Amino acid sequence: DFNLDIWALAESSPAAAQELVDTLKQQFKLDYAVAHSEPNAGTGKQSTSVLWNTKTVSGKRVDWPAEIADWFTIGSRDFDDSMLEAVHGRVFDRYPGLFQFSVLNRKKSLDFYLVPLHLKAMDEGSLRRGMATKILAAAVNRMIEKGADRDWVIGGDFNAELGSGDFAPLDRKNFVPISAEDEGNGSITYIKGRFKSEIDHIYLSPNMARQY
């Protein structure tokens, strides 16, 4: 009913995402493809996956360049005190996969990269979220400098409000949070018990934000 071309699943496993694709095909005759940020993740590990409608979108998972991929394995203690206060744990508990998409049946071509996210939750995750977005902003800039497409979408479960300040590194690189208007209008993306908030966000790279 939502009629969306691309879905990013933020707390799933490859097996669960594949089962969803199979169900869409068997019960609803919908042709979706799926790819995973961590293809070998077991059913007990929450990861991110991307689904897309094969009739409207062509997509695939691609590898980050080796130089950049190493950045995503960093621990928060690898940041010295002059950069950011160190806290225990990995900066990225869930590996930020890289996906490439092209929109089909469109007069003007639209190609872009997508990075689905699930960042560290709770108050103690604030510093790690700041580190993660700093690394992501640098990764996108490095890719563009080396000739990659200038259109990017970074979205998913950021686990903090836009006004928290955790995502300032993206703001400083002129990424545009297109979910800000939704939040201002009172829309919500998270409902559980007494909790109700906008913690899922979508950022567009500067070039994509200007055009789309």
Side-chain angles (χ1 to χ4, degrees):
D1 290 341
F2 282 124
N3 196 32
L4 300 179
D5 297 308
I6 300 172
W7 292 79
L9 307 182
E11 293 184 79
S12 184
S13 68
Q18 183 61 56
E19 186 172 344
L20 174 57
V21 168
D22 294 342
T23 299
L24 290 171
K25 176 68 173 179
Q26 295 165 5
Q27 295 191 17
F28 302 101
K29 311 303 180 188
L30 296 174
D31 292 317
Y32 277 78
V34 63
H36 317 288
S37 295
E38 300 173 86
N40 298 320
T43 56
K45 175 177 172 54
Q46 292 182 346
S47 183
T48 59
S49 296
V50 178
L51 278 63
W52 63 92
N53 184 342
T54 59
K55 293 183 178 180
T56 58
V57 178
S58 172
K60 62 181 179 180
R61 182 188 186 276
V62 295
D63 291 327
W64 291 97
E67 170 199 12
I68 295 175
D70 287 342
W71 298 352
F72 299 128
T73 63
I74 198 169
S76 57
R77 285 189 165 187
D78 295 320
F79 285 77
D80 62 43
D81 291 338
S82 66
M83 296 173 64
L84 288 169
E85 181 183 344
V87 291
H88 295 287
R90 293 168 61 114
V91 173
F92 292 95
D93 287 328
R94 283 98 173 174
Y95 185 80
L98 179 61
F99 301 83
Q100 192 171 24
F101 288 98
S102 298
V103 177
L104 305 174
N105 306 319
R106 179 186 170 97
K107 291 182 180 179
K108 182 180 179 182
S109 63
L110 173 57
D111 305 300
F112 60 94
Y113 286 108
L114 168 67
V115 182
L117 289 183
H118 188 286
L119 299 183
K120 178 66 179 174
M122 305 300 182
D123 291 342
E124 70 271 16
S126 178
L127 292 174
R128 273 188 265 182
R129 288 192 293 270
M131 295 174 191
T133 51
K134 184 175 183 179
I135 292 170
L136 283 167
V140 172
N141 280 353
R142 182 65 60 87
M143 291 279 289
I144 292 174
E145 288 172 358
K146 291 182 176 294
D149 196 300
R150 300 177 64 84
D151 292 332
W152 289 73
V153 179
I154 298 177
D157 197 344
F158 282 71
N159 269 312
E161 303 290 340
L162 288 173
S164 66
D166 293 351
F167 316 124
L170 289 173
D171 297 331
R172 287 195 291 268
K173 295 296 183 180
N174 296 319
F175 281 78
V176 178
I178 62 170
S179 48
E181 182 177 348
D182 292 333
E183 186 173 12
N185 291 334
S187 300
I188 56 175
T189 63
Y190 182 84
I191 305 173
K192 184 179 181 180
R194 61 186 178 87
F195 300 105
K196 184 174 68 173
S197 64
E198 170 84 26
I199 59 173
D200 294 354
H201 306 305
I202 300 173
Y203 277 84
L204 299 185
S205 60
N207 190 68
M208 193 166 189
R210 281 193 297 269
Q211 296 191 62
Y212 304 105

